[in-house]
């Protein structure tokens, strides 16, 4: 039934709104309680329903988006890996569908906690002795098992709809999530999702004509993003030998440099990675990535000119 509902929503779209109330009630009723094989289909159906009927759902009952969000967040804490990953995919689509800025404050603390659990688990596993029983390790793994790229995709969606002041309130945790996800231990899929988060942050804080009154602490956040995160993005280009990663990382780096160059800061420090970037550009095999890296170097030269002028 859930699979049929998803197919119906995907095929018909908005006309399903005439029946959204009964469908939504049935799907939400199935989410709590015991886990059964195939239950992830309920989350997939819920995501499709929200995407095509979000306007009708909100108009019918304004508090319903928050009810849906809470139900999906609860599903994100369940242990079965397939179900939990479906829950995070559903969460991303629910955030995208309703575009409620208040969702960020509800979702990001949970995403931060899951990200931390993943880092702690990997660190403990790598440093622990091999005497741990396989069963105990498997049970521990299940409790935190979720692909970090799915968590980061949810974070990117929540950043897109968030208010700048709410992001700044979480700036320390936000930077921690980004730096952890860019560590050499994480896979390239995680890094791609991290680049997406960084670009969304750059778009969020791009200065539109210098007229925006940014929240207190935004200057520090932009400085820290550039000097801490940008160097990790450069490391990803150097360490990961995949053209797709090089292109995405170069796009991300370009947005970081442009944000730092154009944001109305009182003081700017020069980038420490320009020399390494020149070498990477010279050795880059992907023509698309090479073109982007050349744009990064040009933007860095403009940034140096701005810094010298201010000095």
């Amino acid at each position: 039934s859930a699979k049929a509902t998803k197919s119906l929503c995907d095929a018909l779209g908005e006309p399903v709104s005439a029946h959204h109330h009964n469908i939504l009630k049935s799907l939400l009723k199935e989410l709590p309680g015991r886990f059964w094989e195939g239950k992830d289909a309920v989350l997939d159906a819920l995501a499709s329903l929200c995407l095509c009927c979000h306007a009708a759902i909100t108009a019918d009952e304004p508090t319903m988006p928050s009810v849906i969000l809470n139900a999906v967040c609860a599903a994100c804490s369940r242990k079965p890996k397939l179900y939990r990953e479906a829950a995070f995919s559903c969460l991303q689509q629910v955030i995208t569908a309703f575009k409620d800025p208040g969702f960020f404050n509800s979702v990001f603390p949970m995403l931060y906690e899951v990200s931390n659990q993943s880092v702690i688990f990997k660190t403990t596993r790598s440093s622990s002795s091999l005497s741990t029983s396989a069963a105990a390790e498997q049970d521990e793994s299940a409790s935190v098992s979720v692909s970090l790229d799915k968590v980061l995709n949810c974070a990117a969606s929540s950043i897109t709809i968030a208010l700048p002041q709410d992001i700044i309130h979480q700036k320390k945790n936000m930077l921690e999530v980004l730096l952890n996800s860019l560590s050499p231990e994480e896979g390239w899929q995680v890094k791609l999702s991290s680049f997406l988060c960084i670009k969304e942050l750059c778009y969020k804080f791009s200065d539109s004509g210098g007229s925006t009154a940014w929240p207190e602490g935004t200057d520090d956040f932009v400085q820290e993003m550039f000097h801490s995160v940008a160097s990790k993005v450069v490391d990803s280009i150097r360490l990961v030998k995949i053209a797709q990663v090089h292109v995405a990382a170069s796009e991300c780096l370009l947005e970081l440099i442009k944000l730092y160059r154009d944001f109305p800061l009182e003081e700017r420090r020069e980038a420490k990675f320009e020399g390494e970037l020149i070498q990477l550009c010279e050795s880059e095999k992907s023509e698309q990535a090479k073109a982007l890296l050349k744009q990064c170097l040009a933007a860095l030269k403009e940034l140096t000119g701005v810094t010298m002028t201010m000095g």
Side-chain angles (χ1 to χ4, degrees):
S1 295
K3 288 179 178 178
T5 298
K6 174 177 168 51
S7 297
L8 193 69
C9 292
D10 292 345
L12 296 182
E14 196 275 335
V16 178
S17 295
H19 308 280
H20 82 269
H21 183 79
N22 289 334
I23 299 173
L24 181 59
K25 181 180 177 182
S26 299
L27 292 172
L28 289 177
K29 185 179 178 181
E30 289 296 334
L31 284 185
R34 68 181 182 86
F35 172 78
W36 37 268
E37 188 175 352
K39 193 172 183 177
D40 50 288
V42 176
L43 289 161
D44 295 339
L46 180 60
S48 291
L49 182 71
C50 290
L51 286 172
C52 71
C53 301
H54 57 89
I57 291 171
T58 305
D60 186 46
E61 193 171 346
T63 60
M64 185 52 68
S66 294
V67 172
I68 296 170
L69 184 78
N70 292 335
V72 177
C73 284
C76 288
S77 66
R78 301 294 294 270
K79 285 187 177 182
K81 181 174 170 45
L82 185 63
Y83 184 73
R84 200 176 189 199
E85 294 202 343
F88 277 98
S89 294
C90 178
L91 178 61
Q92 181 190 1
Q93 293 175 79
V94 167
I95 294 168
T96 302
F98 291 108
K99 295 179 173 59
D100 184 341
F103 280 6
F104 178 84
N105 291 329
S106 300
V107 170
F108 184 76
M110 182 269 288
L111 299 176
Y112 170 72
E113 185 62 31
V114 174
S115 172
N116 263 3
Q117 287 176 355
S118 177
V119 172
I120 292 169
F121 173 68
K122 288 174 183 176
T123 304
T124 304
R125 184 174 59 179
S126 63
S127 61
S128 63
S129 65
L130 296 176
S131 60
T132 305
S133 70
E137 186 172 347
Q138 185 176 4
D139 181 65
E140 183 183 3
S141 175
S143 68
V144 297
S145 179
V146 64
S147 297
L148 193 54
D149 56 315
K150 293 188 180 296
V151 177
L152 291 168
N153 289 339
C154 288
S157 295
S158 67
I159 289 166
T160 304
I161 53 94
L163 297 173
Q165 58 264 34
D166 292 334
I167 295 175
I168 295 303
H169 183 69
Q170 291 283 348
K171 65 179 181 178
K172 179 178 178 295
N173 294 343
M174 180 68 72
L175 288 168
E176 187 177 335
V177 168
L178 295 177
L179 292 173
N180 286 339
S181 64
L182 290 171
S183 68
E185 292 77 22
E186 295 295 347
W188 64 272
Q189 297 95 334
V190 171
K191 287 181 170 58
L192 287 178
S193 296
S194 181
F195 300 151
L196 181 60
C197 286
I198 295 165
K199 287 198 292 185
E200 290 299 337
L201 285 168
C202 290
Y203 300 149
K204 180 66 66 172
F205 291 101
S206 293
D207 186 42
S208 53
S211 59
T212 306
W214 297 109
E216 184 179 353
T218 305
D219 288 18
D220 293 339
F221 182 63
V222 171
Q223 291 271 13
E224 191 67 26
M225 268 239 295
F226 181 72
H227 290 289
S228 297
V229 176
S231 61
K232 295 290 185 182
V233 175
V234 174
D235 287 344
S236 298
I237 301 173
R238 177 171 52 84
L239 296 173
V240 182
K241 308 302 181 185
I242 300 175
Q244 183 184 357
V245 173
H246 285 203
V247 171
S250 301
E251 289 174 345
C252 176
L253 184 62
L254 181 59
E255 294 303 327
L256 276 168
I257 296 170
K258 285 160 54 177
L259 173 65
Y260 191 62
R261 179 196 65 193
D262 299 336
F263 197 85
L265 296 168
E266 293 183 3
E267 182 181 350
R268 286 179 176 81
R269 305 194 308 272
E270 288 188 34
K272 296 181 179 180
F273 53 80
E274 185 173 1
E276 184 178 5
L277 204 59
I278 292 172
Q279 293 178 358
L280 290 171
C281 185
E282 290 173 351
S283 61
E284 180 57 56
K285 295 179 181 179
S286 165
E287 290 301 320
Q288 187 179 359
K290 183 185 282 287
L292 287 163
L293 288 173
K294 287 180 179 178
Q295 291 182 54
C296 289
L297 289 168
L300 277 177
K301 283 186 171 55
E302 292 174 4
L303 173 59
T304 302
V306 172
T307 304
M308 292 178 64
T309 301
M310 292 180 67

